[in-house]
Amino acid sequence: MATERTLSIIKPDATKRNLTGKINAKFEDAGLRIIAQKRIQLTKAQAGKFYEVHAERPFYDELCEFMASAPVVVQVLEGDNAIAKNRDVMGATNPADAAPGTVRAEFAESVGENSVHGSDAPETAAVEIAYFFSGLELVG
């Protein structure tokens, strides 16, 4: 197994309901270590830059508005196969399709307000981590 790092974002719908600790416990219980973490308030422009890969999609503006609507918790998770493991812990994007016990099955309010974001590949993870964290902030 390869040790990897992945970006995780606890989204506004979850931070508003004070679910950060419960969500982090799921990551840690799955064997992921939180090696960097901070609570921030994104502007719509910052959210837009982060999600620019989706700029042509119909949900882009709504996504950016949502991500700027309340604080988020950005963090770097590390562990064996961290990207796949994090995606398993998060569950399917649509909470109705998410497996029992996953973050989205337990906490997501809708497809759009689905409580968490996670990187989908090593290349994406590297770019996403660098968007929010300097190398000095990654304490592994």
Side-chain angles (χ1 to χ4, degrees):
M1 290 195 201
T3 298
E4 295 176 329
R5 291 179 174 172
T6 187
L7 184 80
S8 168
I9 302 176
I10 301 176
K11 295 181 177 182
D13 61 296
T15 63
K16 283 191 245 182
R17 293 178 290 141
N18 204 29
L19 296 173
T20 301
K22 290 178 181 178
I23 292 170
N24 282 342
K26 288 190 171 291
F27 296 140
E28 292 178 333
D29 289 347
L32 295 166
R33 290 181 41 222
I34 300 167
I35 65 164
Q37 182 181 67
K38 55 188 166 187
R39 184 179 180 94
I40 60 173
Q41 176 72 54
L42 291 170
T43 65
K44 187 176 177 191
Q46 290 167 328
K49 178 70 174 159
F50 181 76
Y51 285 109
E52 71 184 347
V53 66
H54 298 302
E56 300 303 317
R57 298 184 122 182
F59 60 81
Y60 175 74
D61 285 332
E62 185 178 345
L63 173 62
C64 295
E65 288 282 343
F66 167 63
M67 292 300 290
S69 69
V72 297
V73 174
V74 293
Q75 53 196 5
V76 179
L77 306 177
E78 181 179 76
D80 291 335
N81 296 313
I83 295 166
K85 192 175 286 184
N86 180 40
R87 296 185 74 75
D88 286 345
V89 172
M90 289 190 310
T93 302
N94 184 341
D97 299 332
T102 62
V103 171
R104 289 176 172 152
E106 290 190 24
F107 304 124
E109 297 184 310
S110 67
V111 173
E113 295 186 4
N114 61 21
S115 299
V116 286
H117 164 90
S119 303
D120 62 3
E123 301 78 19
T124 309
V127 171
E128 291 182 347
I129 290 167
Y131 188 80
F132 291 109
F133 295 95
S134 75
L136 293 173
E137 295 175 292
L138 305 177
V139 184

